[in-house]
Amino acid sequence: MKLREHKFGFDVWAAVLFLIIMLPNIIWFFVPAPRDILRNASKTEILDIFATVFQVLTLATLCAIKNTTAKKISLSPCVIISAASCLAYYVAWVMYYCGIANGGIFVCLCIFPCGAFMLYAIDRKNFIAIIPITVFAVLHFISTAINFL
């Protein structure tokens, strides 16, 4: 990784990816699901604060840092699998809204968005973003495991 290959600039596709991932969360905020276990009080409040900080850093580094050597966005394997991760994430949300609230669904709600972000960062050669994505993913998974598994 060469830091000089990274520059500040707005990556519109990263912002679109983030909005795609956040849409079900926004819907959930306003429209509770049946058996809405996600609204239970968290047992990991401090961990969740750190996860939120790294989630914001993920958004910032994905959207505001670009690698000058990255090719124009295309349907590369990483982008395709990132899109498939988004689709799987939506399927998990639909299942959750259908009343299926089990460990498998919670793991899917945790890993698929993190995977989508990671694969997008790898495709865009945004190696700076990989650090906060990894930390966010680990913290998010630990919180999910403690609270829902």
Side-chain angles (χ1 to χ4, degrees):
M1 173 179 77
K2 297 177 184 172
L3 289 177
R4 65 178 175 266
E5 294 173 350
H6 292 78
K7 67 172 187 163
F8 286 105
F10 183 67
D11 185 338
V12 67
W13 290 111
V16 168
L17 175 61
F18 189 77
L19 291 174
I20 288 169
I21 295 294
M22 289 309 296
L23 182 61
N25 295 280
I26 294 166
I27 292 169
W28 169 80
F29 184 78
F30 291 107
V31 182
R35 292 187 52 209
D36 203 351
I37 297 167
L38 291 174
R39 294 191 188 269
N40 292 351
S42 176
K43 300 171 191 167
T44 57
E45 290 180 23
I46 301 294
L47 183 71
D48 296 341
I49 292 168
F50 283 103
T52 300
V53 167
F54 280 94
Q55 183 179 29
V56 170
L57 289 172
T58 292
L59 173 62
T61 55
L62 275 178
C63 291
I65 297 175
K66 296 174 92 173
N67 186 315
T68 57
T69 66
K71 296 177 182 169
K72 188 175 180 180
I73 189 105
S74 65
L75 290 178
S76 69
C78 281
V79 169
I80 291 168
I81 298 169
S82 179
S85 294
C86 290
L87 182 61
Y89 181 60
Y90 273 69
V91 168
W93 271 110
V94 168
M95 293 174 74
Y96 182 71
Y97 267 86
C98 287
I100 302 169
N102 61 36
I105 294 298
F106 295 123
V107 168
C108 289
L109 291 174
C110 174
I111 63 168
F112 285 125
C114 296
F117 292 139
M118 183 66 75
L119 288 162
Y120 182 81
I122 291 168
D123 181 76
R124 302 288 70 223
K125 297 182 181 180
N126 187 344
F127 302 116
I128 294 172
I130 289 173
I131 297 165
I133 293 168
T134 301
V135 175
F136 169 66
V138 169
L139 295 176
H140 192 28
F141 184 80
I142 292 170
S143 175
T144 297
I146 292 170
N147 284 291
F148 305 111
L149 300 182

